[in-house]
Amino acid sequence: MHPYLTTLALLLPLLPILWLYTAQIARSPSFPKLRNKRICLLIAHPDDEAMFFAPTLLALTDPAAGNHVKILCLSTGTPPPPSNYTFWVTQGNASSLGPIRKTELLQSALLLGLRSTSDVFILDSPDFPDNMSTVWDATKIASVLASAFAPKLASPPPPFSSSSTTSSSSAPPEATIDALITFDKHGVSNHANHKSLYHGALAFLRTLMHNHNGWECPVTLYTLTSTSLLRKYISVLDAPITMLFAVLATMRLSRSAAQKRTGSGRGVEREKPRRMLFVNGIREWRKAQKAMTGAHRSQMRWFRWGWVGVGRFMVVNDLRREGGF
């Protein structure tokens, strides 16, 4: 046998062990994690929570973490009718699919650990159509977030520019959540709706901090790290890779901030970690798969079965803390 093939044959049995070891480390109390926080997961469509964020939800809804997690979904996942309306209806995309997908999201949320269906909010607005190429208005997304989680914001987001005012309010900014989680600027699958959420979340936080110079933002934004196409489809094999990248990145950040860090700074880091890694073990992986295949039955086309089987986001989530607002 070729030496390379021999080496590969010897390494293959170690891969499941590395995956489960990584999952155990990621679940340890000393590993960075949000605790006792009010958290909102912002998604674009029903099934995003299961296809992309299952490891995050299963970790953060663990009763031992003490978090209260909510989901805000900006669409029912029903695209606008195309010109060939008759074909569209026969394919199950008529308006009746909206209520079905809402129910599926509620079922999935409970499977992934949410306390109650009352913690799931689903919009059905023409402003947010399900379309791969449609960019949603960041200002409208920010307005939805403001009305839901910052009721004291009296107006829609103002335009931001280098000439924006620098005056500061005497009162701190207020919000009813502590953390907001969504897609990063690449949207994992490069879906325009997913990428829009990132820009909408930033617009919301900039609005929240408008005229509040000197105050700390009450909401911490975390985004799901997109990966290469290869890593996206290697399932459990990506867990050790992501763990290694996370450790190396944390070491670099720690070195660069070593001279600036104080005791209070270390406390902030524990409360608001720069990176978080969530890895499903076997039991959690099966829960994530059930949330997709058992709850979102209307969406189980052949290609989604492949995603459920080998998609790394069903197993691994790498979240990064965003700044700049």
Side-chain angles (χ1 to χ4, degrees):
M1 182 181 291
H2 195 283
Y4 291 130
L5 294 178
T6 303
T7 302
L8 181 61
L10 293 174
L11 288 177
L12 282 177
L14 295 177
L15 294 178
I17 298 175
L18 286 173
W19 161 41
L20 296 176
Y21 179 67
T22 304
Q24 183 178 3
I25 293 176
R27 290 197 301 270
S28 66
S30 60
F31 212 75
K33 184 177 181 180
L34 296 177
R35 301 181 186 277
N36 303 312
K37 301 296 184 184
R38 301 165 298 174
I39 303 169
C40 174
L41 172 64
L42 176 64
I43 58 176
H45 322 104
D47 74 17
D48 285 350
E49 83 296 339
M51 290 183 65
F52 303 105
F53 291 97
T56 295
L57 286 175
L58 288 168
L60 295 181
T61 58
D62 182 349
N67 297 311
H68 188 178
V69 181
K70 299 177 182 288
I71 293 176
L72 174 57
C73 181
L74 295 193
S75 81
T76 60
T78 303
S83 56
N84 190 346
Y85 183 80
T86 301
F87 175 79
W88 181 74
V89 170
T90 61
Q91 295 302 302
N93 291 318
S95 58
S96 61
L97 191 59
I100 292 174
R101 298 204 65 185
K102 288 181 181 180
T103 301
E104 291 176 341
L105 174 53
L106 297 178
Q107 294 173 348
S108 173
L110 294 179
L111 289 171
L112 294 174
L114 266 70
R115 299 178 183 180
S116 167
T117 55
S118 62
D119 288 326
V120 182
F121 307 92
I122 309 168
L123 271 62
D124 188 0
S125 169
D127 290 331
F128 307 119
D130 180 0
N131 190 294
M132 284 286 294
S133 59
T134 298
V135 177
W136 293 347
D137 190 320
T139 300
K140 292 180 179 178
I141 297 173
S143 295
V144 170
L145 290 168
S147 64
F149 304 119
K152 289 190 177 182
L153 288 179
S155 60
F160 291 91
S161 65
S162 58
S163 60
S164 295
T165 178
T166 58
S167 61
S168 179
S169 171
S170 59
E174 297 181 13
T176 58
I177 56 173
D178 304 306
L180 180 62
I181 299 173
T182 193
F183 294 96
D184 68 4
K185 61 183 178 181
H186 302 293
V188 175
S189 60
N190 207 35
H191 197 303
N193 297 167
H194 295 174
K195 294 189 290 185
S196 298
L197 298 184
Y198 168 80
H199 296 288
L202 286 180
F204 164 60
L205 295 181
R206 287 169 181 160
T207 302
L208 189 61
M209 295 305 296
H210 187 57
N211 287 341
H212 285 90
N213 292 337
W215 292 101
E216 182 181 1
C217 184
V219 181
T220 306
L221 176 61
Y222 288 96
T223 58
L224 180 63
T225 305
S226 298
T227 65
S228 66
L229 183 64
L230 174 62
R231 289 181 60 197
K232 196 185 299 184
Y233 291 100
I234 60 174
S235 189
V236 301
L237 305 185
D238 192 65
I241 298 174
T242 305
M243 174 71 79
L244 177 61
F245 286 167
V247 169
L248 292 176
T250 301
M251 290 174 62
R252 287 196 299 269
L253 289 170
S254 298
R255 284 197 299 267
S256 65
Q259 295 181 346
K260 301 178 181 179
R261 183 171 293 174
T262 63
S264 60
R266 285 190 291 271
V268 170
E269 179 64 24
R270 286 192 295 269
E271 287 291 311
K272 301 178 180 180
R274 291 186 179 94
R275 296 180 69 119
M276 293 186 291
L277 176 64
F278 303 119
V279 182
N280 283 340
I282 295 176
R283 182 181 301 177
E284 293 80 15
W285 189 23
R286 292 297 299 137
K287 284 184 179 180
Q289 291 176 327
K290 185 177 180 181
M292 189 63 205
T293 61
H296 293 287
R297 294 182 181 179
S298 71
Q299 300 305 298
M300 289 310 298
R301 308 293 187 263
W302 67 268
F303 54 89
R304 288 198 173 92
W305 283 104
W307 180 270
V308 168
V310 299
R312 71 83 88 169
F313 289 95
M314 298 290 295
V315 184
V316 183
N317 279 175
D318 175 20
L319 302 184
R320 299 185 185 185
R321 190 180 73 196
E322 299 286 343
F325 39 81

